């Protein structure tokens, strides 16, 4: 098991569940990780029902942020290296952080920010620093690596996870209009571009204008997205990352 915390600037912090053969480096303390392997609680709750036993079921069920806590330590060759490591931990504040978790189930990632003091503490001798990284991820779904699926008018995509995932649509070559249709949802774009990237997560386009914003998610399993462009010669592909609760 390994976790990598990648800041926008600076070197990533890689925490393994065991130390290396020289016992020098970053590692997880007792392999303790909170908030990653489970799923956040629902924001809604059952509501009171009158006239009979039991409560009413929520009309919707949604999740808030995922809060991940990594308990780590660093054994350094010198006290100067330990002091620099402390500064490196505190420098994570104010940056967008990517958390990458790797285990027997594969690689998954979330994005968040440092939401509490890492509380670096020196152990006797001041060569070992213990800390905790509390990272709040506003979008709680964990994503795998993006896979490219080629479209010939119908794009067959696969989500191997257990949660819906927003696709990205990429066009190579000149394009002036695009329409994507999936399961009753239509997402369309207009403009004049030599290439195009559309991200349905935040309904953003690399250029031009989104003319119909009914962005859709791809549920777990295999599905077809219908995509048409003008000119028809444009090469279209869909990038999709499997998603997990």
């Amino acid at each position: 098991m390994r976790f990598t915390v990648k800041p926008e600037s600076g070197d990533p912090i890689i925490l393994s569940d065991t130390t290396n053969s020289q016992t020098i480096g970053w590692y997880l303390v007792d392999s303790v990780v909170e908030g990653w392997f489970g799923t956040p609680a629902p924001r809604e709750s059952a509501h009171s029902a009158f006239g009979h036993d039991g409560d009413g079921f929520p009309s919707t069920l949604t999740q808030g942020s995922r809060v991940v806590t990594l308990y780590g330590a660093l054994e350094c060759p010198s006290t100067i290296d330990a002091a620099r490591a402390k500064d490196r931990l505190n420098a994570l504040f104010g940056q967008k952080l990517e958390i990458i978790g790797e285990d027997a189930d594969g690689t998954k990632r979330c994005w968040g920010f440092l939401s509490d003091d890492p509380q670096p503490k020196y152990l006797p001798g001041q060569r070992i620093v213990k800390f905790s990284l509390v990272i709040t991820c506003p979008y709680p779904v964990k994503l795998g690596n993006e896979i490219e699926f080629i479209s010939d008018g119908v794009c067959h995509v696969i989500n191997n996870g257990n949660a819906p995932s927003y696709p990205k649509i990429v066009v190579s070559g000149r394009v002036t209009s695009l329409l994507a249709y999936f399961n009753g949802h239509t997402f369309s774009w207009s403009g004049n571009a030599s290439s195009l990237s559309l991200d349905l997560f935040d309904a953003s386009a690399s250029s031009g204008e989104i003319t119909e914003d009914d962005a859709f998610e791809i549920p777990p399993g295999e599905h077809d997205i219908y995509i048409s462009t003008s000119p028809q010669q444009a090469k279209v592909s869909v990038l999709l990352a499997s998603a997990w609760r």
Side-chain angles (χ1 to χ4, degrees):
M1 179 172 63
R2 184 171 72 170
F3 283 84
T4 301
V5 178
K6 293 177 65 176
E8 293 174 302
S9 64
D11 295 328
I13 293 174
I14 301 174
L15 300 172
S16 176
D17 60 349
T18 56
T19 57
N20 61 32
S21 58
Q22 290 81 31
T23 67
I24 297 293
W26 304 85
Y27 57 93
L28 290 167
V29 175
D30 298 326
S31 301
V32 177
V33 178
E34 296 177 353
W36 182 263
F37 297 106
T39 191
R43 288 183 288 200
E44 297 80 10
S45 59
H47 58 82
S48 298
F50 300 96
H52 59 79
D53 293 334
D55 291 324
F57 203 89
S59 58
T60 60
L61 284 171
T62 59
Q63 292 175 301
S65 299
R66 176 184 296 273
V67 180
V68 180
T69 304
L70 304 171
Y71 294 91
L74 171 63
E75 185 161 354
C76 301
S78 71
T79 56
I80 293 176
D81 291 316
R84 290 171 178 167
K86 169 186 63 70
D87 292 339
R88 187 173 163 190
L89 289 166
N90 292 331
L92 296 175
F93 178 79
Q95 299 195 60
K96 184 177 182 179
L97 306 175
E98 180 181 3
I99 310 175
I100 305 172
E102 302 170 81
D103 59 15
D105 196 32
T107 300
K108 302 179 179 69
R109 66 198 73 222
C110 276
W111 288 263
F113 58 91
L114 195 67
S115 53
D116 202 354
D117 182 355
Q119 299 184 13
K121 299 176 182 177
Y122 294 118
L123 296 190
Q126 296 190 341
R127 290 196 308 108
I128 298 177
V129 181
K130 295 186 72 174
F131 58 90
S132 59
L133 297 178
V134 181
I135 301 172
T136 297
C137 303
Y139 186 60
V141 173
K142 296 175 288 189
L143 298 176
N145 295 324
E146 284 186 336
I147 304 297
E148 183 180 21
F149 300 92
I150 305 300
S151 174
D152 59 359
V154 178
C155 190
H156 188 74
V157 298
I158 303 173
N159 178 356
N160 288 313
N162 61 13
S165 179
Y166 286 98
K168 297 177 183 176
I169 301 174
V170 177
V171 181
S172 300
R174 182 173 177 269
V175 59
T176 58
S177 67
L178 181 145
L179 185 146
Y181 176 85
F182 174 74
N183 197 26
H185 300 275
T186 301
F187 190 85
S188 61
W189 171 91
S190 178
N192 190 347
S194 57
S195 63
L196 177 65
S197 177
L198 300 172
D199 191 340
L200 273 67
F201 176 78
D202 54 5
S204 62
S206 57
S207 65
E209 179 185 4
I210 294 170
T211 53
E212 187 166 359
D213 179 8
D214 188 10
F216 50 81
E217 297 175 279
I218 304 300
E222 300 187 23
H223 304 275
D224 290 329
I225 305 173
Y226 297 88
I227 304 174
S228 61
T229 64
S230 178
Q232 294 181 350
Q233 296 86 346
K235 297 180 180 179
V236 181
S237 61
V238 172
L239 302 178
L240 184 69
S242 295
W244 286 267
R245 295 287 185 192

